[in-house]
Amino acid sequence: MKLADKVKFITSTLEDLYPEPDIPLNHKNNFTFLVAVMLSAQSTDKKVNEITPKLFQIANTAKEMNELEMDEIKEIIREIGLAPTKAKNIKKMSKQLLENHNGEVPNTFEELEELAGVGHKTASVIISQAFNKPAFPVDTHIHRLAFRWGLSSGKNVITTEKDLKQIFEEKLWNKLHLQIIFYGRQWCQARKKKCGCTICTEIQKT
């Protein structure tokens, strides 16, 4: 299958399955969304959504979060992977927002990546989903599927992001990010050595 045909088939299949994909992390505003994305690293969205209601009931702004002791945050999120580190980063990030951004989440990669615990992938999610600016966050699902579908070499997430941005139209990036994640979770899981999902089957024909 030629690359152009592959891209057309993938995008049309995903559009049929997930025409209006919702953000899977529950949040109240851009600040709580940033916290939820930070918590989701090496954890599941399901677990994050179980933990955050209690946290956000107590603190859903940078000011309120900064007023909590780090141990309070850590206790609430204790069931999340890397809880001590994440609690430390959330506390520090909240203070940085207050000191440098009037408590508001910034909308540039440079400013986001200066925040504690915020790497390129987290910044990409915020840029694309909170501010609707073009970005293509690459998580483990997207990295895996891009390799399975022959869209990238699978070398690393940086290469995968670069390859996908070259292959797909910029206007599709934000939506595709969610669509591919949902597809990977539902149909094209990592445990399958040879996947028989719709997209893999079609691609493997040629």
Side-chain angles (χ1 to χ4, degrees), residues 6 35 37 42 107 121 153 155 175-176:
K6 187 185 296 186
V35 172
V37 177
Q42 297 187 40
N107 64 357
K121 184 254 181 177
S153 65
K155 183 179 180 181
K175 195 173 187 180
L176 273 171

Side-chain angles (χ1 to χ4, degrees), residues 14 29 32 54 76 79 87 92 101 110 155 162 165 182:
L14 293 175
N29 50 44
T32 55
K54 182 178 180 180
I76 294 172
E79 295 180 19
K92 185 176 180 181
H101 303 285
E110 293 76 17
K155 183 179 180 181
K162 182 180 178 181
K165 283 182 173 179
F182 291 153

Side-chain angles (χ1 to χ4, degrees), residues 14-113:
L14 293 175
E15 187 64 24
D16 286 343
L17 290 170
Y18 313 104
E20 297 294 337
D22 292 324
I23 295 173
L25 291 169
N26 296 334
H27 59 283
K28 298 183 177 184
N29 50 44
N30 285 350
F31 173 73
T32 55
F33 185 38
L34 175 56
V35 172
V37 177
M38 291 171 67
L39 290 173
S40 70
Q42 297 187 40
S43 185
T44 63
D45 292 346
K46 183 175 182 289
K47 176 55 70 174
V48 173
N49 288 338
E50 291 172 358
I51 297 299
T52 51
K54 182 178 180 180
L55 179 63
F56 296 158
Q57 185 176 8
I58 300 170
N60 65 19
T61 66
K63 183 177 184 297
E64 292 173 344
M65 193 69 74
N66 186 57
E67 289 172 352
L68 296 180
E69 295 295 330
M70 191 179 72
D71 285 344
E72 291 181 82
I73 301 173
K74 185 172 69 174
E75 174 61 23
I76 294 172
I77 69 169
R78 67 186 184 279
E79 295 180 19
I80 293 281
L82 306 175
T85 299
K86 290 177 180 177
K88 180 180 178 181
N89 284 336
I90 289 170
K91 172 78 171 175
K92 185 176 180 181
M93 176 273 292
S94 301
K95 185 177 181 180
Q96 288 174 309
L97 290 183
L98 290 171
E99 291 178 344
N100 303 322
H101 303 285
N102 296 315
E104 299 296 323
V105 176
N107 64 357
T108 68
F109 276 104
E110 293 76 17
E111 292 172 311
L112 283 166
E113 291 178 18

Side-chain angles (χ1 to χ4, degrees), residues 110-158:
E110 293 76 17
E111 292 172 311
L112 283 166
E113 291 178 18
E114 287 175 354
L115 299 173
V118 179
H120 181 70
K121 184 254 181 177
T122 295
S124 294
V125 173
I126 300 302
I127 288 291
S128 63
Q129 306 303 329
F131 296 106
N132 199 32
K133 296 167 70 174
F136 210 135
V138 174
D139 74 343
T140 54
H141 293 290
I142 294 175
H143 183 55
R144 181 182 78 252
L145 268 59
F147 176 69
R148 273 189 179 178
W149 297 345
L151 303 177
S152 186
S153 65
K155 183 179 180 181
N156 53 55
V157 293
I158 296 172

Side-chain angles (χ1 to χ4, degrees), residues 134-200:
F136 210 135
V138 174
D139 74 343
T140 54
H141 293 290
I142 294 175
H143 183 55
R144 181 182 78 252
L145 268 59
F147 176 69
R148 273 189 179 178
W149 297 345
L151 303 177
S152 186
S153 65
K155 183 179 180 181
N156 53 55
V157 293
I158 296 172
T159 300
T160 298
E161 180 182 341
K162 182 180 178 181
D163 290 341
L164 294 178
K165 283 182 173 179
Q166 290 177 337
I167 292 170
F168 294 103
E169 293 182 73
E170 185 178 278
K171 65 182 181 180
L172 301 176
W173 293 355
N174 294 357
K175 195 173 187 180
L176 273 171
H177 157 69
L178 293 174
Q179 290 173 324
I180 296 174
I181 288 173
F182 291 153
Y183 188 87
R185 290 174 179 172
Q186 186 174 3
W187 302 106
C188 198
Q189 296 96 352
R191 65 177 180 270
K192 296 181 179 179
K193 291 183 179 180
K194 186 174 182 180
C195 185
C197 74
T198 301
I199 294 177
C200 285

